[in-house]
Amino acid sequence: MTETQPAIHVKALHKSFGDLEVLKGIDFRVDAGEVVCVIGPSGSGKSTLLRCINRLEDSQAGEILIEGEDITDLDADVDKLRTNIGMVFQQFNLFPHLSVLKNLTVAPIGVLKRDKAEAIKFAHEMLERVGLAEKASAFPAHLSGGQQQRVAIARALCMQPDMMLFDEPTSALDPELIGEVLDVMRSLADEGMTMMVVTHEISFAKEVADRVVFMDGGVVVEEGPPLDVLDNPQTDRARQFLRQVKEH
């Protein structure tokens, strides 16, 4: 990948559900090694944008280039694409009937055809990385929400992706558990992982993001360095949104 080629490049993206246009010509990019936090009110199109980038939703018009490859092309290998993009959802989406270790190894062994012993060894390393080395044999139901989300991050990392997408990863968590998940995300950012994070955690965005994007009504209203967008927003809509967030 050349230095000038973005990891993710969205061009004039449109997405509708029936008559409801959710994304109205989005232009958006994330450079390799960059952390971009996307903020905005519910219904602004943030999660839909993320799901289009991972082809969980099909768009009606526009292009999405992942490391230069147009993944909206009908001939695009979507399964291969997904092995390069780790995705962490609001709900943890762990397999309840599998142990933590099995949750982490099922895709590397089944999809990437990794050697089983290697996959298990790497999974243990990823569990240690998220602070859950002792939970390998536990089942998801026996973990707190914060632990489940950290397992979900470890599971995504077991695919050794080039980039990570996070869709409001802390919004389903009790307040006291949010910090442990954000700590793991901070460490990934520090290691240079390319990350796109849809979040309501304004303080996290301020601290970790290279760039903050504010979306509303299916368009990008404002974007720039965190201190510009979060502390000195240029639009009335962004000012109003950030004021409401601070009041809660």
Side-chain angles (χ1 to χ4, degrees):
M1 192 167 68
T2 64
E3 282 186 310
T4 53
Q5 182 173 281
I8 301 168
H9 199 178
V10 175
K11 300 179 182 179
L13 191 71
H14 289 262
K15 168 67 184 172
S16 297
F17 295 103
D19 293 336
L20 179 67
E21 192 176 19
V22 181
L23 300 177
K24 303 171 183 175
I26 295 279
D27 291 296
F28 185 92
R29 65 182 279 161
V30 181
D31 291 323
E34 191 179 26
V35 178
V36 176
C37 285
V38 184
I39 63 170
S42 295
S44 57
K46 309 181 302 292
S47 294
T48 301
L49 173 60
L50 217 56
R51 292 173 68 83
C52 286
I53 289 170
N54 206 21
R55 282 291 302 274
L56 291 168
E57 299 283 357
D58 287 329
S59 49
Q60 274 82 30
E63 288 183 329
I64 302 169
L65 303 175
I66 302 294
E67 296 178 332
E69 184 181 345
D70 183 2
I71 59 124
T72 53
D73 189 318
L74 293 175
D75 297 328
D77 186 342
V78 176
D79 291 333
K80 180 172 177 291
L81 157 83
R82 290 206 187 116
T83 64
N84 290 334
I85 303 180
M87 180 101 183
V88 178
F89 298 90
Q90 193 170 342
Q91 305 298 340
F92 323 118
N93 291 8
L94 300 174
F95 295 115
H97 61 291
L98 297 181
S99 69
V100 165
L101 187 65
K102 281 268 174 64
N103 264 283
L104 267 61
T105 56
V106 65
I109 294 168
V111 178
L112 298 181
K113 308 297 182 214
R114 292 239 168 93
D115 174 75
K116 186 177 177 181
E118 264 178 45
I120 289 172
K121 179 173 179 286
F122 193 70
H124 280 294
E125 288 171 13
M126 292 304 101
L127 282 176
E128 191 160 328
R129 184 173 178 178
V130 300
L132 293 171
E134 76 289 355
K135 297 292 186 184
S137 58
F139 282 79
H142 299 142
L143 303 177
S144 71
Q147 289 171 331
Q148 289 188 59
Q149 194 59 295
R150 285 188 282 153
V151 169
I153 294 171
R155 178 181 59 182
L157 292 173
C158 280
M159 299 295 280
Q160 294 177 274
D162 293 340
M163 60 196 79
M164 294 278 284
L165 308 179
F166 293 88
D167 189 6
E168 301 197 16
T170 58
S171 64
L173 300 179
D174 292 332
E176 67 270 21
L177 302 176
I178 288 172
E180 63 192 47
V181 173
L182 294 181
D183 284 346
V184 171
M185 293 169 67
R186 273 187 201 97
S187 71
L188 285 176
D190 289 344
E191 289 162 24
M193 174 65 80
T194 305
M195 290 163 58
M196 179 177 166
V197 186
V198 171
T199 185
H200 287 300
E201 300 294 332
I202 300 300
S203 57
F204 173 79
K206 192 177 286 190
E207 178 192 344
V208 176
D210 297 301
R211 199 154 40 90
V212 171
V213 173
F214 172 66
M215 283 181 68
D216 186 38
V219 297
V220 172
V221 177
E222 212 169 309
E223 67 176 298
L227 292 177
D228 289 359
V229 176
L230 299 175
D231 288 344
N232 189 26
Q234 299 302 299
T235 61
D236 288 342
R237 188 65 192 93
R239 278 194 287 272
Q240 181 190 359
F241 171 76
L242 289 162
R243 196 162 48 240
Q244 285 173 332
V245 169
K246 281 169 186 160
E247 283 168 4
H248 285 295

